[in-house]
Amino acid sequence: MTAQALAGLLADETRLRVFSAIVLGAATPPEIASATGAKAKDVALALRKLTGGGLVVDDGGELRAATGRFKEVLRSAAGAERTVTDHGTGDERTESLLRTFVDGDRLLGIPSQLVRRRTVLAHLAHRSFRPGERYPERAVNDILRAWSEGSGTDHVAIRRYLIELDVLDRADGHYWLRPEAETAS
């Protein structure tokens, strides 16, 4: 079932009320009719559609909602929309880590574990700064602000982490990739 089909099943007001009554505990057509105020024939029609769509299951005369279908449809829709990004590291563990914390040119968050934090931030630095080039603090702030937008992490904190983790070095208001970090990724 697709997300559109699921939405279509519940788009009809009577079907939505019938499904809601079942979720809330109505287990027979008369109980559903009483709970919804719908006519018996409308309840029967809605049940036929909901059962056919897999949202309602008849367990020996007692109806129950198959709420697990929502999770299945959402997982299916999420899997269809999500593309796997290759960050070019060649290491599946590193790729998995980066997919968790990096989306394109956006930082989704910063790992709390130090080794993972360094891996993610070194990746960010290598994507943003050229080896041997010095950057004024304002340019570094602009680059890191773009990465951190929407992540809940302050660009100043990222800059500080990059220094503390020996990915960037600084002097006289300028920053650059540390030579050791240039070959680390």
Side-chain angles (χ1 to χ4, degrees):
M1 173 183 290
T2 65
Q4 291 82 4
L6 176 65
L9 273 174
L10 296 175
D12 176 76
E13 184 179 338
T14 302
R15 287 194 300 261
L16 181 59
R17 288 189 356 232
V18 166
F19 184 73
S20 298
I22 295 169
V23 168
L24 293 172
T28 64
E31 290 174 357
I32 295 168
S34 174
T36 62
K39 296 178 184 175
K41 71 174 191 161
D42 293 334
V43 169
L45 179 61
L47 285 172
R48 193 170 27 247
K49 294 256 185 188
L50 292 169
T51 303
L55 288 181
V56 173
V57 176
D58 187 347
D59 277 342
E62 286 207 2
L63 301 166
R64 67 174 174 79
T67 55
R69 294 288 289 159
F70 287 99
K71 287 181 185 176
E72 292 172 20
V73 169
L74 288 174
R75 283 186 183 128
S76 173
E81 293 173 10
R82 185 173 180 165
T83 58
V84 176
T85 303
D86 181 8
H87 293 95
T89 66
D91 177 60
E92 187 50 43
R93 291 181 70 172
T94 302
E95 288 294 322
S96 178
L97 175 66
L98 292 174
R99 281 192 295 272
T100 302
F101 291 99
V102 178
D103 183 18
D105 289 337
R106 293 277 186 256
L107 189 62
L108 302 173
I110 296 180
S112 57
Q113 187 181 24
L114 196 60
V115 173
R116 290 179 176 184
R117 180 181 299 166
R118 187 178 195 293
T119 300
V120 169
L121 294 180
H123 171 77
L124 175 152
H126 286 93
R127 296 267 317 267
S128 304
F129 304 106
R130 289 187 291 279
E133 190 169 330
R134 291 178 178 254
Y135 296 84
E137 186 168 312
R138 171 175 248 153
V140 172
N141 286 340
D142 290 343
I143 291 167
L144 298 179
R145 193 177 290 116
W147 272 98
S148 65
E149 188 176 305
S151 73
T153 304
D154 182 43
H155 69 281
V156 175
I158 296 170
R159 189 183 69 216
R160 186 174 54 248
Y161 289 142
L162 287 167
I163 297 297
E164 290 172 359
L165 296 170
D166 295 326
V167 176
L168 292 184
D169 218 341
R170 73 170 173 221
D172 301 324
H174 285 81
Y175 294 76
W176 61 93
L177 273 174
R178 290 180 58 99
E180 306 85 48
E182 291 176 16
T183 58
S185 269

